[in-house]
Amino acid sequence: MEKRISGYTGLMGLFGSPVGHSASPEMYNFCFQHDGLDYAYLAFDVKAEDMPETIKTIRLLKMRGGNFTMPCKNIGAKLMDRLSPAAQLVGACNAFVNEEGVLTGYITDGIGFVKNLKEHGVEVKGKKVLVLGAGGAATAIQVQLALEGTEEIQIFNRRDEFYERALETRKKLEEKVPQCKVAVNRLEDKEKLQKAVAEADILANATIVGMKPDLHEETLIPKEWMRKDLVVADIVYNPEVTRMLKEAGEAGCQTIEGKGMMLWQGAENYRLFTGKEMPVEAYKDAMRTAAAMPPSP
């Protein structure tokens, strides 16, 4: 046990499944220590059906805040006392704050995604973006893209329960951001998908395809569809370079890894949790130093 843990240490955490791959505990705990804050952040493997009991536990333990990941973002939003305007629009939340027993849900995935693109010199205003997926993170990205001035969003998802969510998102954006054109398509329609890739400025994978441990050898877009002027971004950050990003890079595309999105949404979450700006540069320096160190014998 770390010496900094005391009987007064506040608990925060990540809830979802799987969570063993998550870099969030390392990031937040580093930042808490850097800023001298008496909090600890842990990861808890929780299924969607466990969320009602999980929320009761959060209240019982008086947890200050935390995050929800798949498959808990949508049910998490339904169990909050309040939702931010963006979380209401998305119908999901990936962060929550506990203020004297009142749980407020927020959605920061879209903010992190757009900030990550901007950090790589890619603006979304006036662009055509193809988004793979219609889950909580994907919907947050779609909403944020529209709010940031994206000209057109092509959503592709399998004909499952999230497909209807995509249709709802389109309807909401047509009402709230009518200047952004939104289309919803079936991922199984390969001809339409290939055409959308050919016309897009930015291709974003907002699904778990490509993630370790089970899907890291898979990709939704064949390498031969890629072209040099296409920007390809992934929300998956383990592995850092997914198969889709690897093949896009080989095709000459600019590629943007998901770890940056995790960092910038984390910075927004940190501000919500603590009221402070996250020490992003200090964390980056620490990660670069750790990466340069030889492995332990």
Side-chain angles (χ1 to χ4, degrees), residues 40-239:
Y41 188 104
L42 302 176
F44 301 94
D45 198 293
V46 169
K47 305 292 194 300
E49 58 268 26
D50 300 323
M51 281 294 288
E53 289 301 315
T54 297
I55 297 300
K56 290 180 183 179
T57 302
I58 288 170
R59 296 184 191 276
L60 178 65
L61 298 180
K62 296 180 174 60
M63 296 181 69
R64 166 59 185 168
N67 296 104
F68 301 123
T69 188
M70 292 296 290
C72 299
K73 294 181 180 183
N74 303 118
I75 184 63
K78 294 178 181 179
L79 296 170
M80 294 290 101
D81 299 312
R82 300 186 304 204
L83 292 173
S84 70
Q88 289 180 22
L89 188 59
V90 173
C93 63
N94 72 309
F96 71 90
V97 175
N98 185 352
E99 297 175 296
E100 298 183 356
V102 178
L103 302 183
T104 303
Y106 299 85
I107 191 76
T108 59
D109 292 312
I111 294 172
F113 180 82
V114 172
K115 177 68 173 177
N116 191 29
L117 293 186
K118 290 181 178 180
E119 287 293 305
H120 288 81
V122 178
E123 295 292 334
V124 300
K125 186 175 182 179
K127 300 294 180 62
K128 296 181 179 181
V129 184
L130 191 169
V131 180
L132 302 172
T139 305
I141 289 168
Q142 292 151 15
V143 168
Q144 194 66 33
L145 287 171
L147 294 174
E148 297 274 350
T150 297
E151 176 185 324
E152 178 181 309
I153 303 172
Q154 291 278 346
I155 303 171
F156 279 81
N157 196 79
R158 301 187 194 282
R159 197 62 185 262
D160 57 18
E161 68 272 19
F162 292 119
Y163 190 84
E164 294 302 317
R165 169 183 292 276
L167 295 175
E168 293 175 7
T169 300
R170 181 182 65 185
K171 183 177 180 180
K172 291 178 181 178
L173 292 178
E174 285 174 348
E175 295 173 355
K176 302 292 185 180
V177 196
Q179 63 271 28
C180 178
K181 180 181 178 183
V182 181
V184 178
N185 310 278
R186 292 169 55 191
L187 190 59
E188 295 89 346
D189 190 337
K190 300 303 181 184
E191 183 177 345
K192 187 172 288 187
L193 178 59
Q194 183 175 6
K195 183 175 184 292
V197 173
E199 295 176 349
D201 299 303
I202 302 168
L203 164 64
N205 175 43
T207 76
I208 61 172
V209 174
M211 181 186 290
K212 287 186 176 180
D214 299 324
L215 302 173
H216 68 282
E217 295 182 354
E218 297 186 23
T219 181
L220 294 172
I221 305 298
K223 179 179 178 180
E224 56 268 24
W225 292 4
M226 305 289 189
R227 62 179 202 281
K228 291 183 179 180
D229 60 339
L230 179 65
V231 176
V232 181
D234 210 322
I235 73 167
V236 173
Y237 58 84
N238 187 25

